[in-house]
Amino acid sequence: MGRTGDADATPAAVAAQFTDWERGKARHLFERRVAAALPFLPASGRVLDAGCGDGETIARFAAARPDLAFVGLDLRHFGPRPGLVRGDLQQLPFA
């Protein structure tokens, strides 16, 4: 199986790399991806993380860029957490 970023990496293979990141198996990959994404955040405004999961990514982004407003959207419900919204990307729950 190819590494993430290889042309032959399937979506399932990429997703599998994140399955156990909380136990440290792919934590280094997660940290690298967050760091690589930081320069692409906007200069100001709001950022939507569609399919945010447990919100760990936006928590990292918010810590690095407190000047931005982050909202995480996911179909799953993780209980009340600041900045996380349960919803469907096809029917955004925003006005």
Side-chain angles (χ1 to χ4, degrees), residues 27-57:
R27 186 127 187 114
H28 68 283
L29 180 60
F30 173 77
E31 298 292 345
R32 281 183 26 205
R33 289 188 175 197
V34 168
L38 285 173
F40 296 97
L41 293 175
S44 63
R46 296 176 65 184
V47 176
L48 172 64
D49 181 1
C52 69
D54 64 1
E56 179 70 16
T57 302

Side-chain angles (χ1 to χ4, degrees), residues 13-94:
V14 174
Q17 295 180 30
F18 290 95
T19 302
D20 294 325
W21 79 266
E22 292 175 275
R23 292 184 288 248
K25 291 183 180 178
R27 186 127 187 114
H28 68 283
L29 180 60
F30 173 77
E31 298 292 345
R32 281 183 26 205
R33 289 188 175 197
V34 168
L38 285 173
F40 296 97
L41 293 175
S44 63
R46 296 176 65 184
V47 176
L48 172 64
D49 181 1
C52 69
D54 64 1
E56 179 70 16
T57 302
I58 62 170
R60 298 294 178 117
F61 285 160
R65 292 289 308 277
D67 55 313
L68 296 175
F70 292 91
V71 176
L73 176 75
D74 202 280
L75 287 171
R76 295 174 285 170
H77 182 65
F78 293 100
R81 293 188 186 179
L84 298 185
V85 177
R86 183 177 184 194
D88 188 334
L89 184 59
Q90 295 178 354
Q91 298 174 343
L92 292 175
F94 307 113

